[in-house]
C-alpha cells in the first residue's frame, strides 16, 4: 500500500483526523469557560483564563523546535502516534480535574505532547507529495485543524446538555482509540533522511547521524529562513487571537451567550478557511509551475484579505458584519496556511524541514502567548475589539517583508 499512487493521499486523510483532534482538544477549552467556572471559580476572572490559555502556548512554543529536530531524526510515525495518545490521555484527565492548579498543569503538559505533532505531520506530507500537489495536500491537512477548531466551538453546547467533564472524557477516549488505529495504517516515507528502523514494516534508510545542533546552525545561517520566520510569526498574532478569543468577542459584541456565540464564531472561521485552502492550494500548485514566486504571491493575496477582516472584527456589532469578517479572515488565512510548508520547501532541505517548522511554530506560538495574555487584559478593560483591529498593521508589515526580501528557489527533493 505504501508504494501505491494513492497512499500519499491516504497519509493526508489519516493525518487530517489527527489534526482535527489536535485543535479540538486544545480549542474546546475556549468555549467551556462559563461551564467550568461554576466548579472552578478562578476561571470567572478573564485574566486567569488568559493564563490558562497562555501556559499551553508558552510550553508548546518552548518544545516546538526540539520537536522538529526529533522529527527530522527519528521515525515520524511513532512520534505522531505517541503524541496523539499522550494529549488524548491529558484531555481525558481534564475531565477529572477539580482545581485551577490541576487544569493549569494538565494544560501545560498538553502543550508538550501537542507540540510534537505539527512539525512531524507537515514534514511527512511534504515528503509524500511533489511540487505539483504539495500545497493542496498541506492545505487539506490544515482543514483538519479548522474542523477541530469548529467542533471545539460545540464544547459549550455539549456541556450545556451534559457537563464539561463529559466533553473532555469522550474526546479523550476518541483520540486514544484513533492512536491505536494509526499503528496499523500509518507508515513512514521511505528515504526519510534520518529515520531509524522501528519495526521491520517501517524500515528507514540508515545514515550517519548528524549532531542536533547542526540543523539549527544551518537554518539560522540561512537569510531566507529569517524572512520566513518573521512572515510566519506576525500573522500568528491574529491567528491565535481568533482561536482563543473570537467566541468571547462574538459574545461581547453581539450580546449572546457563549453556547450560541462559540459555534457561530468557530464554524464561520472553519468553513471559510476550508474555502481558502481549496482556492489557495490548487492556485499555488499551478502558479509555481510557471513562476517560482507563485506560492509567495498566493500566500500574500490570502494574508491581504485578513487586513480588512480584522478591522471589521474589531468594530462590528451585527451578525452580518462579524460573520462576514470571520469568513473573510478564514478564506485569507486558509490561503496563507496552505502555503507555509510549501514555501519552506523552496528554501530548506528535506532533512531540516521539521526542525525549521518547529522553530517557526515556536515563534508563532510565543506571539500567540503574548497576544492571548494581552487580550485577556483587554477584555477586562472593555476594549477587546479595538485591540483586535490593531493587529492588521502587523499583518501588513509581514506582507511587505516577504515580498521584498524572500528569494525562493526550486523546491528541494530527496536525491
Amino acid at each position: 500500500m505504501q508504494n501505491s499512487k494513492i497512499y500519499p493521499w491516504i497519509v493526508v486523510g489519516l493525518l487530517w483526523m489527527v489534526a482535527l483532534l489536535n485543535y479540538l482538544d486544545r480549542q474546546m477549552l475556549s468555549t467551556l469557560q462559563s461551564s467550568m467556572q461554576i466548579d472552578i471559580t478562578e476561571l470567572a476572572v478573564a485574566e486567569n483564563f488568559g493564563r490558562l490559555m497562555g501556559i499551553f502556548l508558552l510550553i508548546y512554543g518552548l518544545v516546538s523546535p526540539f520537536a522538529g529536530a526529533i522529527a527530522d531524526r527519528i521515525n515520524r510515525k511513532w512520534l505522531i502516534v505517541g503524541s496523539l495518545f499522550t494529549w488524548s490521555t491529558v484531555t481525558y484527565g481534564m475531565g477529572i480535574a477539580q482545581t485551577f492548579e490541576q487544569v493549569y498543569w494538565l494544560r501545560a503538559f498538553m502543550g508538550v505532547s501537542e507540540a510534537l505533532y505539527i512539525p512531524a505531520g507537515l514534514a511527512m506530507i511534504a515528503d509524500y507529495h511533489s511540487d505539483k500537489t504539495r500545497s493542496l495536500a498541506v492545505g487539506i491537512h490544515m482543514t483538519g485543524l479548522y474542523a477541530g477548531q469548529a467542533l471545539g466551538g460545540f464544547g459549550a453546547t455539549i456541556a450545556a446538555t451534559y457537563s464539561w467533564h463529559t466533553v473532555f472524557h469522550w474526546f479523550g477516549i476518541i483520540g486514544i482509540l484513533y492512536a491505536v488505529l494509526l499503528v496499523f495504517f500509518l507508515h513512514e516515507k521511505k528515504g526519510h533522511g534520518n529515520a531509524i528502523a522501528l519495526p521491520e514494516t517501517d524500515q528507514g534508510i540508515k545514515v550517519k547521524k548528524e549532531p542536533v545542533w547542526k540543523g539549527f546552525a544551518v537554518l539560522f545561517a540561512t537569510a531566507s529562513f529569517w524572512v520566513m520566520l518573521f512572515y510566519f510569526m506576525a500573522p500568528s498574532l491574529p491567528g491565535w487571537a481568533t482561536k482563543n478569543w473570537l467566541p468571547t468577542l462574538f459574545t461581547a459584541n453581539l450580546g449572546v451567550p457563549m453556547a450560541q456565540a462559540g459555534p457561530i464564531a468557530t464554524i464561520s472561521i472553519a468553513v471559510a478557511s476550508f474555502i481558502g485552502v481549496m482556492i489557495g492550494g490548487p492556485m499555488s500548485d499551478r502558479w509555481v509551475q510557471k513562476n517560482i514566486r507563485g506560492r509567495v504571491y498566493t500566500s500574500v493575496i490570502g494574508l491581504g484579505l485578513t487586513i480588512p477582516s480584522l478591522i471589521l472584527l474589531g468594530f462590528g456589532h451585527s451578525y452580518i458584519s462579524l460573520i462576514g469578517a470571520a469568513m473573510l479572515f478564514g478564506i485569507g488565512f486558509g490561503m496563507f496556511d496552505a502555503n507555509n510548508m510549501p514555501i519552506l520547501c523552496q528554501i530548506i532541505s528535506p532533512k531540516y524541514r521539521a526542525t525549521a517548522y518547529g522553530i517557526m511554530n515556536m515563534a508563532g506560538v510565543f506571539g500567540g502567548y503574548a497576544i492571548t495574555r494581552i487580550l485577556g487584559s483587554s477584555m477586562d478593560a472593555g476594549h477587546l475589539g479595538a485591540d483586535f483591529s490593531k493587529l492588521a498593521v502587523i499583518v501588513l508589515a509581514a506582507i511587505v517583508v516577504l515580498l521584498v526580501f524572500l528569494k525562493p528557489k526550486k523546491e528541494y527533493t530527496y536525491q
Side-chain angles (χ1 to χ4, degrees):
M1 179 185 290
Q2 188 177 358
N3 295 324
S4 69
K5 293 182 179 180
I6 65 169
Y7 189 72
W9 293 107
I10 292 176
V11 169
V12 173
L14 290 171
L15 296 185
W16 186 91
M17 186 63 182
V18 182
L20 181 149
L21 292 169
N22 186 276
Y23 260 58
L24 173 64
D25 288 353
R26 74 173 75 169
Q27 179 66 26
M28 60 187 176
L29 180 62
S30 68
T31 65
L32 291 174
Q33 180 185 7
S34 59
S35 300
M36 295 177 69
Q37 69 186 26
I38 297 174
D39 299 310
I40 304 175
T41 56
E42 292 93 335
L43 294 179
V45 179
E47 186 173 355
N48 282 338
F49 187 69
R51 286 177 55 210
L52 194 60
M53 303 300 283
I55 188 60
F56 171 86
L57 297 178
L58 180 62
I59 300 299
Y60 186 98
L62 287 171
V63 173
S64 287
F66 304 102
I70 292 170
D72 279 330
R73 295 175 61 81
I74 73 170
N75 189 297
R76 293 169 298 198
K77 165 186 173 173
W78 297 105
L79 188 62
I80 291 169
V81 169
S83 173
L84 171 59
F85 183 88
T86 303
W87 88 60
S88 297
T89 302
V90 170
T91 299
Y92 184 89
M94 291 277 284
I96 303 174
Q98 298 178 344
T99 68
F100 179 81
E101 287 73 22
Q102 290 173 346
V103 175
Y104 185 86
W105 288 111
L106 282 169
R107 189 73 175 171
F109 192 61
M110 180 178 282
V112 176
S113 55
E114 288 210 358
L116 294 170
Y117 171 64
I118 290 292
L122 288 179
M124 180 179 283
I125 290 172
D127 285 352
Y128 267 109
H129 287 266
S130 69
D131 61 351
K132 294 182 180 180
T133 59
R134 187 171 289 141
S135 281
L136 180 59
V138 169
I140 290 174
H141 170 268
M142 299 305 282
T143 66
L145 304 181
Y146 310 147
Q149 183 179 350
L151 290 176
F154 284 95
T157 307
I158 299 173
T161 304
Y162 299 97
S163 72
W164 62 270
H165 305 278
T166 302
V167 176
F168 285 121
H169 283 161
W170 277 108
F171 285 117
I173 291 171
I174 290 171
I176 291 170
L177 294 176
Y178 192 68
V180 175
L181 185 69
L182 287 182
V183 171
F184 300 99
F185 293 100
L186 184 65
H187 304 290
E188 177 59 275
K189 169 73 173 178
K190 286 183 171 64
H192 171 50
N194 294 310
I196 61 174
L198 270 177
E200 292 183 359
T201 56
D202 281 327
Q203 285 286 340
I205 294 178
K206 294 183 179 180
V207 297
K208 183 179 180 180
K209 294 288 191 301
E210 293 180 345
V212 174
W213 59 263
K214 183 175 180 180
F216 292 101
V218 169
L219 293 171
F220 288 129
T222 304
S224 292
F225 177 69
W226 285 98
V227 175
M228 193 63 191
L229 187 62
F230 176 76
Y231 179 72
F232 183 86
M233 180 184 69
S236 293
L237 299 180
W240 281 105
T242 57
K243 291 179 181 73
N244 291 338
W245 286 106
L246 192 59
T248 303
L249 181 66
F250 269 49
T251 297
N253 286 8
L254 295 176
V256 297
M258 181 61 77
Q260 180 180 346
I264 292 174
T266 56
I267 289 175
S268 297
I269 289 284
V271 171
S273 297
F274 177 80
I275 295 172
V277 162
M278 298 312 293
I279 294 172
M283 177 190 294
S284 175
D285 286 332
R286 288 195 300 267
W287 204 343
V288 79
Q289 304 301 316
K290 301 176 181 178
N291 188 322
I292 201 167
R293 294 175 65 85
R295 298 200 192 281
V296 172
Y297 294 147
T298 304
S299 182
V300 164
I301 290 171
L303 208 54
L305 296 177
T306 68
I307 294 176
S309 71
L310 287 168
I311 298 172
L312 286 172
L313 284 172
F315 296 106
H317 287 83
S318 68
Y319 281 98
I320 293 177
S321 62
L322 286 176
I323 294 176
M327 292 289 289
L328 187 61
F329 184 90
I331 291 172
F333 212 82
M335 295 175 70
F336 164 79
D337 255 352
N339 284 287
N340 285 322
M341 176 57 86
I343 292 174
L344 195 64
C345 291
Q346 292 185 276
I347 61 175
I348 299 298
S349 165
K351 63 182 178 179
Y352 300 127
R353 283 175 187 163
T355 303
Y357 200 89
I359 296 171
M360 288 163 54
N361 222 18
M362 177 187 69
V365 168
F366 279 167
Y369 171 77
I371 201 65
T372 298
R373 296 294 303 272
I374 290 170
L375 293 181
S377 300
S378 296
M379 179 62 189
D380 288 335
H383 45 75
L384 178 62
D387 287 345
F388 241 89
S389 66
K390 294 174 184 176
L391 296 173
V393 177
I394 299 174
V395 174
L396 179 60
I399 290 174
V400 172
V401 168
L402 188 75
L403 288 176
V404 174
F405 296 107
L406 189 69
K407 308 298 181 186
K409 301 176 182 179
K410 185 176 180 180
E411 298 181 7
Y412 291 93
T413 57
Y414 285 121
Q415 301 299 319

